[in-house]
Amino acid sequence: MTSNQPLPEEYTDGYVIFMGRRFITDKRALIPRLETEELVKYCLKLLRENPSIQTVADIGTGSGIIPISIAEKIERPIQTFASDMSQEALSLAQENAQTKNTEITFLQWDLLKPLISRFGDKAPNEILITANLPYVREKEINSWLVHEPRMAFLGGVQTGFELYERFFDQLFAWKNRPKQCHVVIEFWLWQRDIAETVLMWKDCSYSFFADLRGIERFAHICLSR
């Protein structure tokens, strides 16, 4: 798809403001959206209420804004991981982490697979996993998205939730996963019912929470073993 749309302002400026901090932004990753601040705020509250969670992992990290913001703002040491399929996105996330002097272990591979491989049979007892995976359907791609990496926003053809379904398949098949997993995700405006349809057949508990417009586009999933 070609477009006469100019480069997004965030790309021409080379930065975006997120959670009150400046992050490097360029064509290596999706431009962070303001709505994702609600996911970070929820996770910070969750971590403060559950000091037993000492490990955080962000899947599909893009420019790294979620794990960096959490690590910067939480008031205790946490072990932080971030994974992405794109080496270019990881290089941008690493630059942002270095700029913020934030210690994060970056992993490249498919969704949860690098984390599963990294932990082996020595996973922590409890973990917070965050994910703001691509969720746009093929037919929803428009001229406003053409300047951003296709793999950073395309979630599938039929529902846009296909990548999340694969993410959940890996999560629930993870034999030696932590005994307690908190998973906080962000999805598209109309995908709440799809998310619930997927999750209702899984052995977990879940709840949804809304963005500032009152739209339930986030979920907190809990699973134990």
Side-chain angles (χ1 to χ4, degrees):
M1 179 184 295
T2 58
S3 172
N4 294 322
Q5 293 291 341
L7 276 176
E9 180 180 293
E10 294 86 350
Y11 282 167
T12 56
D13 291 344
Y15 71 90
V16 67
I17 302 299
F18 185 85
M19 297 292 293
R21 304 292 182 91
R22 181 181 291 205
F23 289 85
I24 304 166
T25 306
D26 59 35
K27 294 182 73 172
R28 287 176 287 178
L30 194 77
I31 297 168
R33 269 53 171 184
L34 183 63
E35 290 83 358
T36 304
E37 289 190 356
E38 297 307 306
L39 182 150
V40 172
K41 291 174 184 176
Y42 184 94
C43 290
L44 288 170
K45 182 175 183 291
L46 179 66
L47 287 167
R48 288 165 182 150
E49 292 175 350
N50 296 271
S52 56
I53 305 174
Q54 300 291 331
T55 304
V56 174
D58 184 48
I59 310 303
T61 198
S63 56
I65 58 163
I66 293 175
I68 294 170
S69 297
I70 290 173
E72 272 197 314
K73 293 182 177 294
I74 197 64
E75 297 84 5
R76 66 174 189 271
I78 56 172
Q79 184 182 37
T80 308
F81 297 89
S83 74
D84 204 287
M85 281 284 291
S86 168
Q87 184 56 56
E88 289 189 338
L90 284 175
S91 68
L92 175 59
Q94 287 171 324
E95 288 176 28
N96 275 316
Q98 290 167 1
T99 301
K100 304 297 181 186
N101 196 28
T102 306
E103 187 175 339
I104 294 177
T105 300
F106 291 97
L107 307 167
Q108 184 187 15
W109 202 9
D110 177 32
L111 300 174
L112 283 164
K113 287 183 178 179
L115 194 69
I116 294 170
S117 177
R118 178 65 178 248
F119 287 153
D121 60 355
K122 297 180 180 179
N125 284 329
E126 194 164 3
I127 192 171
L128 167 61
I129 298 173
T130 58
N132 182 14
L133 299 178
Y135 47 62
V136 175
R137 291 182 293 182
E138 181 81 40
K139 67 180 182 181
E140 292 170 330
I141 299 173
N142 57 44
S143 60
W144 294 100
L145 287 169
V146 294
H147 294 299
E148 299 178 75
R150 181 182 175 88
M151 70 180 298
F153 58 76
L154 182 61
V157 175
Q158 297 298 321
T159 67
F161 206 74
E162 289 93 331
L163 200 59
Y164 269 117
E165 292 191 56
R166 188 150 58 84
F167 166 82
F168 286 124
D169 286 344
Q170 292 180 7
L171 177 64
F172 285 89
W174 184 359
K175 183 179 179 181
N176 296 313
R177 69 173 182 254
K179 292 180 179 179
Q180 185 71 32
C181 290
H182 299 268
V183 183
V184 179
I185 65 170
E186 175 180 344
F187 41 85
W188 191 224
L189 304 176
W190 52 268
Q191 291 174 330
R192 182 205 181 279
D193 289 346
I194 298 173
E196 185 158 33
T197 299
V198 171
L199 292 169
M200 67 187 297
W201 299 105
K202 304 291 187 182
D203 184 16
C204 66
S205 62
Y206 57 88
S207 59
F208 296 96
F209 60 101
D211 62 16
L212 293 176
R213 293 172 291 178
I215 300 171
E216 289 189 331
R217 52 176 305 183
F218 306 95
H220 176 189
I221 302 110
C222 297
L223 56 155
S224 306
R225 68 170 183 86

